[in-house]
Amino acid sequence: MPHLTDAQLDKASLRAVALARRAALDPAARAEAAEVAAANAMQWLGEVSGEVVSVFSPIGGEIATDPLVRRLREAGACVCLPIVLEAGKPLLFRLWEAGEELAPSAGPGRFSIPAPPERAPAVSPDVLVVPLAGFDARGNRLGYGAGFYDRTLCLLRRAKRIEALGYAFAVQQLAAVPAEPHDERLDAIATDAGIVRPAED
């Protein structure tokens, strides 16, 4: 069994706390929170016409992104979704046209997450709306341990100026998330309680 650092052990216990809080939300509260979080996200993003914005297909109790996608399209943004190609690699992004049906991505090494068809053009996003298990006021994101978004953000930030917006329920906020050298900090987090703007160190 690989040796786990203190930070990794802390992350596992914090992840369990945040996910338990998320799981405790009832369907009505979830639906209302998703609408409010979407409005908050749009206020933070500002003018998005012509920008390519990556959202995510919610899985396992994550906040619904449909209200946000609707607002983004109404504001003239191009919406894309991430594709997991294989473990240890950055994400690929494909354009998601309005009305286009999603299907679980399939193939060797892929995760079964709803995605646009393979014929959809690959794009480079200007904004990443990022799923998470938990977060703190400093913009530290607690993911699910696979590192896909950290690798992807690192790669994109070397190539261009992008914005990374965490997207979650307010109950997923934690007092502190331990940061490791490979962790990429978020620019802000949109929740149903408002926008969390990372505090300075």
Side-chain angles (χ1 to χ4, degrees), residues 118-142:
E118 293 202 1
R119 68 175 182 276
V123 292
S124 177
D126 303 302
V127 178
L128 260 67
V129 177
V130 183
L132 45 82
F135 64 93
D136 66 18
R138 293 178 57 215
N140 293 315
R141 170 184 176 267
L142 184 60

Side-chain angles (χ1 to χ4, degrees), residues 79-140:
V79 175
C80 67
L81 286 171
I83 312 290
V84 175
L85 294 175
E86 59 181 290
K89 299 291 185 184
L91 298 164
L92 174 75
F93 298 89
R94 291 197 184 281
L95 196 62
W96 180 25
E97 299 284 3
E100 194 166 51
E101 203 162 318
L102 302 177
S105 56
R110 295 199 184 180
F111 288 49
S112 187
I113 297 172
E118 293 202 1
R119 68 175 182 276
V123 292
S124 177
D126 303 302
V127 178
L128 260 67
V129 177
V130 183
L132 45 82
F135 64 93
D136 66 18
R138 293 178 57 215
N140 293 315

Side-chain angles (χ1 to χ4, degrees), residues 7-130:
Q8 288 170 327
L9 289 169
D10 285 348
K11 283 183 174 182
S13 58
L14 288 169
R15 187 179 291 114
V17 169
L19 294 181
R21 290 181 191 165
R22 188 177 78 182
L25 294 170
D26 65 55
R30 286 172 174 275
E32 183 179 352
E35 290 289 346
V36 176
N40 291 336
M42 293 301 296
Q43 188 172 5
W44 186 81
L45 288 170
E47 178 59 56
V48 293
S49 180
E51 291 194 338
V52 179
V53 182
S54 170
V55 295
F56 57 90
S57 297
I59 57 171
E62 289 176 336
I63 188 168
T65 53
D66 287 350
L68 178 58
V69 170
R70 184 178 71 246
R71 286 169 169 83
L72 286 167
R73 288 192 166 131
E74 287 170 355
C78 299
V79 175
C80 67
L81 286 171
I83 312 290
V84 175
L85 294 175
E86 59 181 290
K89 299 291 185 184
L91 298 164
L92 174 75
F93 298 89
R94 291 197 184 281
L95 196 62
W96 180 25
E97 299 284 3
E100 194 166 51
E101 203 162 318
L102 302 177
S105 56
R110 295 199 184 180
F111 288 49
S112 187
I113 297 172
E118 293 202 1
R119 68 175 182 276
V123 292
S124 177
D126 303 302
V127 178
L128 260 67
V129 177
V130 183

